[in-house]
Amino acid sequence: DSVCAGAALGMSSSPVKLFSYRICPFCSRVKSLLRHRGLPFRVVEVNPLTKAELAWSTEYKKVPVAKFADGLVVPDSARIVEEALRRSPESEAFSSPDALRWEQWAVDKLAVHMYPNVTRSFSESRRTLEYAYSDFGFLQGVLIQNVGALGMSLAHGKIKRKYGIEDERKSLHALLDQWLDEIGPEGFRGGGHPDLGDVTVHGVLSSVAGLPLHDEITAWGDGRLGRWLNDVEARFCPTEQ
């Protein structure tokens, strides 16, 4: 488990417990929102094969799931983000209509391109799941990496058909260009400060951190996208307002 303890605004110091998959873009966008608000959270990495970490619940078997300090359990990334912002309100500009529109774009368009771009072959799927060794130990790591990679590579075409994706890399590149056009040459989509669109896109793209795809993303636009990611990151866990 890992903890990000920033300046908890409107919440107790007890961390939110976030049940997550390392490479899940919907989980990652929750992490970015919590970090942006400086809300302490503890990640519980869920074994994608056994889901043993969710054995406490008969109702929730899909990540992300959040347990707040007062015992409230919230599934689904959109509902978790909504609850976090209810407990730690931001400015109206942060969740402006335009920011909400780009948040939805990040979830509906960008996030669904992450999976098919890291599962194009069995070997790429195995590389994507290498994290399992550090999170679950050698034996579970072997199972997750190989059984999981087989399932992921077999599901690759199904996911593409579901979302109408033909060339997953070309389509992703077009989305990255669209985002760069939106944020402009410097600064954030929200202007001088990141808004919900910025934070959500940051989270989605960060779900592939440590993978070759992330290197490609950070180099996109002659490095502009990487610089923007770093700038958003620099605004996380504020110590003062």
Side-chain angles (χ1 to χ4, degrees):
D1 295 356
S2 60
V3 176
C4 171
L9 308 175
M11 290 184 67
S12 71
S13 59
S14 298
V16 177
K17 187 176 285 188
L18 183 66
F19 296 85
S20 171
Y21 292 155
R22 178 84 66 91
I23 58 173
C24 163
F26 306 100
C27 304
S28 187
R29 75 106 159 198
V30 172
K31 296 173 191 174
S32 286
L33 185 280
L34 294 174
R35 294 181 64 203
H36 171 74
R37 298 305 298 135
L39 305 178
F41 67 97
R42 183 178 300 278
V43 173
V44 178
E45 200 64 38
V46 174
N47 184 314
L49 297 184
T50 67
K51 299 184 180 180
E53 295 75 15
L54 291 173
W56 53 271
S57 172
T58 58
E59 187 176 359
Y60 307 122
K61 295 302 179 185
K62 292 184 178 181
V63 295
V65 177
K67 271 188 176 182
F68 287 84
D70 58 6
L72 179 67
V73 177
V74 182
D76 184 74
S77 67
R79 290 174 59 187
I80 298 169
V81 166
E82 182 181 5
E83 180 62 23
L85 288 175
R86 186 187 70 80
R87 294 173 181 239
S88 175
E90 253 280 13
S91 66
E92 288 187 12
F94 181 78
S95 299
S96 70
D98 270 351
L100 291 171
R101 181 167 61 87
W102 282 98
E103 177 203 24
Q104 204 61 49
W105 175 88
V107 172
D108 293 343
K109 300 290 186 181
L110 187 62
V112 300
H113 278 75
M114 294 295 105
Y115 182 96
N117 273 286
V118 293
T119 60
R120 294 172 299 171
S121 66
F122 178 68
S123 60
E124 184 173 63
S125 298
R126 289 186 80 250
R127 172 66 181 85
T128 298
L129 292 171
E130 278 183 1
Y131 76 88
Y133 291 94
S134 60
D135 286 350
F136 302 106
F138 180 76
L139 291 179
Q140 281 297 311
V142 169
L143 285 172
I144 292 168
Q145 186 182 36
N146 291 283
V147 176
L150 179 60
M152 290 169 70
S153 57
L154 290 174
H156 175 82
K158 180 181 178 181
I159 295 296
K160 288 177 61 176
R161 288 190 296 273
K162 178 179 179 180
Y163 294 107
I165 300 170
E166 294 185 10
D167 183 327
E168 62 274 10
R169 212 50 147 222
K170 182 178 179 181
S171 185
L172 175 61
H173 290 166
L175 291 171
L176 298 181
D177 284 337
Q178 187 179 354
W179 178 247
L180 285 177
D181 287 343
E182 175 62 20
I183 62 177
E186 58 184 44
F188 307 103
R189 203 226 70 83
H193 302 277
D195 66 10
L196 187 55
D198 289 292
V199 173
T200 306
V201 173
H202 174 280
V204 169
L205 297 181
S206 296
S207 66
V208 293
L211 298 176
L213 177 60
H214 194 259
D215 295 335
E216 186 176 327
I217 288 170
T218 57
W220 197 252
D222 293 326
R224 280 177 58 210
L225 197 49
R227 291 191 293 274
W228 169 82
L229 284 165
N230 289 335
D231 288 344
V232 175
E233 187 89 13
R235 300 298 183 100
F236 285 166
C237 289
T239 56
E240 62 181 17
Q241 298 302 301

